[in-house]
Amino acid sequence: MKETLKKHATKSFGIRTAVVAVILIVSLVFTKAGIIPLIFGGTSIDGTADFDALEGKQVSFDANYIVAEYVRRTSTNTDTNRTTLTNVGYIVWDYDNDAMFGIYLPASQSSKLDKMIDETWEWIDYEIPEVSSSLHVDGTLRTMEGKELQYFQETIDEMLYEEDLDTVRYYTIDTTQVNGVEKGWLGLATALDGWMLVYFIWSLVSYLSQGYYRVIKKFLDTNPSIPESRVEADFASAVLFEKKIWVGKEWTIYMKGMKSYLMENRKQVWAYYYQRTGRYSESKIRFFDCDKKNTNIDISHGNYEEMLKAYQERQPQMLLGYDKEWEKMYKKNFSEFLNLRYNQAISQVQTEDTYSYQGQANPDNYFDDARYNMDAYREQETQEK
């Protein structure tokens, strides 16, 4: 029994591992492994770097001199017609290497950048001995194109003489991207990767701690009079459904993922099939026991009748099938509900190492007896009203 359950758990763990691996690989490909530079930062550059070779890569630069703003990007809410500034492009000057290029940042940092522009020009005009502000920029190095390139060139032309244009690099460090992927998408992918890793670790711990046998072991520890061999014998003679549900005479053992569950059959008083289609589809058998505890076991529509038949043949104390009046009685008058079948059947049970039913010539008549009792109950309710 234990080895059988372990085999199922191993298969489930293997499937989970494969799913996690596929998702992580797809995520790395989609984000161009952006999680790595997001954690460790990009390649540090200056004005002497090979910009062509680094295009599309994650880079970092410590900016001290911001000479101008060259482009703005806005978004407009179509409902309110309100325009919001989202990003701003600035021209940075690597003074030590005499090179100019762009940086592209969220508009939330524009106030700091405007102050850095003022400070840079104060330094250029000899109003202050040195600049004190700096900004660490980390983003994707990309070439400028379209309107962005046009505005950049127009701004450069206003500031530099023609002979100084060879200092210009028509690239920008886009801080809204990591390896060319928007940070919003990367954030979602990173969150998914993190959840997948947690899920894998949880699955691994559950597997290594023998979650596939924990419930059964707990049951045996709680019931020391029941030897493990008895559960194993019942498991060996059980009827198997969908390779994961073992309906024995005394217990039903079933798997959900990597975990096994045990249900005591003789405590069950009622069971019926429940199905819901659509977005939140369900297909299961609902069980209710003498302590009013509900257990749900998933099973396909094609197999539920055979599974209920297994209980009909082995558990004569159970009501099978759904009846609205049964549900009403179960909720409002549970003691009367037990009298429909459970009490009369259980009184004929003699408990030894296992339990057997005595004195009943035709166990199938239990259903007819229960229906007769239900009709009598309805008639009594009508008379009382």
Side-chain angles (χ1 to χ4, degrees):
M1 174 179 64
K2 187 174 182 179
E3 287 302 314
T4 300
L5 299 176
K6 181 180 179 180
K7 180 180 178 181
H8 282 75
T10 301
K11 181 179 179 180
S12 179
F13 178 68
I15 293 173
R16 294 186 183 192
T17 301
V19 170
V20 170
V22 169
I23 290 176
L24 290 178
I25 291 172
V26 170
S27 176
L28 285 173
V29 172
F30 173 75
T31 62
K32 302 177 183 178
I35 184 65
I36 298 174
L38 183 66
I39 296 174
F40 299 103
T43 303
S44 180
I45 66 168
D46 57 28
T48 65
D50 186 347
F51 281 54
D52 291 339
L54 291 170
E55 182 182 358
K57 304 291 181 60
Q58 193 73 1
V59 299
S60 64
F61 175 71
D62 292 317
N64 298 104
Y65 304 99
I66 312 295
V67 295
E69 172 189 313
Y70 73 91
V71 69
R72 289 189 167 201
R73 175 167 292 176
T74 60
S75 65
T76 302
N77 187 312
T78 56
D79 294 331
T80 63
N81 203 32
R82 181 179 178 181
T83 299
T84 304
L85 181 65
T86 57
N87 302 98
V88 183
Y90 296 89
I91 299 175
V92 297
W93 180 21
D94 180 3
Y95 175 73
D96 294 333
N97 298 292
D98 196 21
M100 288 187 179
F101 48 92
I103 57 174
Y104 189 73
L105 304 103
S108 58
Q109 299 190 48
S110 60
S111 177
K112 179 178 181 178
L113 271 294
D114 289 343
K115 291 180 180 179
M116 290 185 68
I117 291 174
D118 293 340
E119 189 175 10
T120 297
W121 283 102
E122 288 174 359
W123 174 77
I124 291 174
D125 293 337
Y126 302 101
E127 295 179 14
I128 57 176
E130 59 182 18
V131 296
S132 58
S133 301
S134 65
L135 178 70
H136 180 77
V137 181
D138 208 317
T140 299
L141 185 68
R142 60 174 176 80
T143 56
M144 299 179 189
E145 56 185 19
K147 287 292 185 180
E148 181 182 26
L149 176 59
Q150 175 187 333
Y151 297 150
F152 181 81
Q153 186 66 63
E154 290 175 356
T155 307
I156 286 292
D157 290 342
E158 291 177 359
M159 293 192 304
L160 301 181
Y161 295 109
E162 185 175 348
E163 57 267 24
D164 295 325
L165 293 179
D166 59 347
T167 64
V168 178
R169 308 285 187 270
Y170 293 95
Y171 288 84
T172 188
I173 301 175
D174 191 338
T175 64
T176 68
Q177 299 180 352
V178 178
N179 275 6
V181 178
E182 294 294 329
K183 281 187 175 180
W185 287 110
L186 181 62
L188 290 175
T190 302
L192 176 61
D193 292 345
W195 190 89
M196 284 288 102
L197 288 174
V198 171
Y199 176 71
F200 173 75
I201 293 171
W202 175 82
S203 298
L204 178 62
V205 171
S206 177
Y207 179 74
L208 295 178
S209 62
Q210 299 185 358
Y212 53 85
Y213 200 68
R214 189 180 301 120
V215 170
I216 297 174
K217 186 178 184 304
K218 182 179 179 181
F219 173 77
L220 293 171
D221 292 341
T222 307
N223 300 273
S225 62
I226 299 176
E228 185 175 11
S229 59
R230 178 172 160 183
V231 180
E232 290 178 343
D234 191 69
F235 182 87
S237 62
V239 182
L240 178 62
F241 295 94
E242 300 189 348
K243 299 181 179 181
K244 61 180 180 179
I245 306 168
W246 292 265
V247 179
K249 184 177 181 181
E250 295 194 74
W251 299 282
T252 296
I253 295 174
Y254 57 101
M255 296 286 295
K256 283 187 177 181
M258 297 190 303
K259 291 185 177 181
S260 66
Y261 297 84
L262 180 145
M263 183 179 75
E264 295 182 76
N265 291 344
R266 68 172 176 175
K267 296 180 67 175
Q268 305 309 308
V269 299
W270 183 27
Y272 65 86
Y273 176 68
Y274 175 81
Q275 183 182 37
R276 179 171 63 180
T277 58
R279 184 177 181 182
Y280 302 101
S281 61
E282 293 180 276
S283 179
K284 61 190 177 184
I285 295 179
R286 289 177 166 175
F287 294 86
F288 305 86
D289 69 15
C290 57
D291 297 322
K292 297 195 76 173
K293 178 184 176 181
N294 171 228
T295 300
N296 296 316
I297 300 180
D298 296 330
I299 190 166
S300 65
H301 181 271
N303 290 319
Y304 85 89
E305 289 182 339
E306 287 297 317
M307 186 167 166
L308 285 177
K309 184 178 179 181
Y311 288 99
Q312 182 181 31
E313 294 172 349
R314 297 178 174 217
Q315 308 301 325
Q317 85 282 0
M318 291 179 65
L319 289 170
L320 299 175
Y322 178 77
D323 186 290
K324 188 174 183 179
E325 291 297 327
W326 287 355
E327 182 176 35
K328 178 181 176 182
M329 185 184 289
Y330 175 87
K331 292 179 178 179
K332 295 186 176 182
N333 197 341
F334 188 62
S335 60
E336 286 297 323
F337 179 87
L338 294 179
N339 285 333
L340 291 177
R341 177 178 293 186
Y342 180 79
N343 286 340
Q344 63 172 318
I346 211 68
S347 66
Q348 300 179 54
V349 174
Q350 181 180 3
T351 303
E352 297 174 352
D353 287 342
T354 185
Y355 51 94
S356 59
Y357 298 91
Q358 302 175 345
Q360 182 66 25
N362 184 8
D364 289 340
N365 286 339
Y366 271 108
F367 184 82
D368 296 331
D369 293 342
R371 175 61 63 188
Y372 172 80
N373 289 343
M374 192 69 236
D375 292 340
Y377 171 78
R378 288 171 177 159
E379 184 178 348
Q380 180 182 346
E381 270 201 333
T382 303
Q383 291 175 353
E384 290 177 354
K385 291 179 180 179

